[in-house]
Amino acid sequence: GESVGLHLPTLSVQEGDNSIINCAYSNSASDYFIWYKQESGKGPQFIIDIRSNMDKRQGQRVTVLLNKTVKHLSLQIAATQPGDSAVYFCAENIKGAQKLVFGQGTRLTINP
Amino acid sequence: EADIYQTPRYLVIGTGKKITLECSQTMGHDKMYWYQQDPGMELHLIHYSYGVNSTEKGDLSSESTVSRIRTEHFPLTLESARPSHTSQYLCASSEFRGGGTDTQYFGPGTRLTVL
């Protein structure tokens, strides 16, 4: 079946460093991608999205990169803070499917 | 910030009980969804709705049922709860924008434990 997967289930970085969370997707028909952040005991929170006609999009301290050639998506968080500790999910919309497919999730831990 | 609410936040019940998990959104979104999620794991779509009187089954088979009588309300019901239903249930909604770019906004979730 179709899947969105993450390369690493856990990632630890030092506070203040930049972090990169990766995501591989398998469906070349996917045309829209979203990164969500989920803190313990809460629902996923929208961070940033990108359409397939773009290869980069920036937000506040976050950047999403899309490489359609290798079907790879990444989320870069600049100058990580303790509040960035969470599980991060990528999700893809397969064109015509009208629903999102979520990946496994990466747990990001910020070390003081 | 999305205005989507779920009640109860936590529920512990015995096997065989009937339960309804409530979800409401005040954004007027047409589309609503229910996901099941085990701790730290991926989300699995169990039901969704395109609008009033529309309900569809998701990718993960579920013994639950849903209804959509009003735009803002999308309750999920388990007729007879079992321990295998223990999980977190997340509700989401999105505004239909076409072109497959509907951003889903999530509620806080209901943590269900069936003893």
Side-chain angles (χ1 to χ4, degrees):
Chain A
E2 305 300 343
S3 67
V4 179
L6 294 169
H7 294 309
L8 296 172
T10 61
L11 177 65
S12 294
V13 298
Q14 292 297 121
E15 183 178 350
D17 287 352
N18 298 334
S19 63
I20 299 175
I21 301 172
N22 295 304
C23 178
Y25 64 95
S26 58
N27 196 318
S28 56
S30 295
D31 58 0
Y32 178 60
F33 305 86
I34 306 175
W35 279 102
Y36 286 93
K37 171 186 179 183
Q38 186 175 25
E39 296 175 276
S40 181
K42 298 183 178 179
Q45 177 186 4
F46 171 87
I47 301 174
I48 192 168
D49 59 359
I50 188 167
R51 299 188 187 202
S52 58
N53 60 354
M54 304 171 68
D55 54 20
K56 180 179 179 179
R57 190 162 189 224
Q58 287 184 291
Q60 187 177 14
R61 283 201 307 119
V62 294
T63 300
V64 55
L65 298 177
L66 176 63
N67 185 330
K68 295 181 287 295
T69 302
V70 295
K71 299 194 196 69
H72 184 267
L73 189 71
S74 68
L75 176 71
Q76 300 177 5
I77 305 174
T80 52
Q81 305 167 357
D84 294 329
S85 292
V87 177
Y88 289 81
F89 292 94
C90 63
E92 65 177 322
N93 179 83
I94 301 170
K95 190 173 183 179
Q98 295 290 324
K99 53 188 178 181
L100 294 176
V101 175
F102 284 83
Q104 183 182 8
T106 292
R107 180 173 299 280
L108 177 65
T109 302
I110 309 302
N111 301 314
Chain B
E1 201 65 37
D3 296 322
I4 182 164
Y5 309 97
Q6 291 186 243
T7 57
R9 291 295 314 279
Y10 303 93
L11 180 61
V12 181
I13 59 167
T15 297
K17 299 292 186 183
K18 176 181 178 179
I19 60 167
T20 296
L21 308 184
E22 302 288 349
C23 176
S24 295
Q25 50 95 5
T26 58
M27 298 165 286
H29 286 171
D30 289 319
K31 298 172 73 173
M32 296 188 74
Y33 314 80
W34 275 104
Y35 291 87
Q36 187 173 339
Q37 181 189 34
D38 291 326
M41 301 299 287
E42 61 203 280
L43 282 69
H44 295 285
L45 181 68
I46 53 176
H47 297 284
Y48 60 103
S49 167
Y50 289 117
V52 171
N53 294 325
S54 153
T55 60
E56 305 286 342
K57 289 192 180 294
D59 302 320
L60 182 67
S61 175
S62 174
E63 294 165 342
S64 58
T65 58
V66 291
S67 62
R68 191 88 184 276
I69 299 172
R70 304 197 316 265
T71 297
E72 63 271 21
H73 196 215
F74 191 41
L76 180 145
T77 298
L78 275 168
E79 291 293 334
S80 180
R82 293 206 301 269
S84 60
H85 295 138
T86 295
S87 189
Q88 172 153 270
Y89 292 84
L90 290 161
C91 181
S93 71
S94 68
E95 178 184 13
F96 180 69
R97 294 186 291 190
T101 60
D102 304 345
T103 302
Q104 294 182 22
Y105 295 94
F106 286 82
T110 294
R111 166 74 59 191
L112 173 65
T113 302
V114 184
L115 303 176

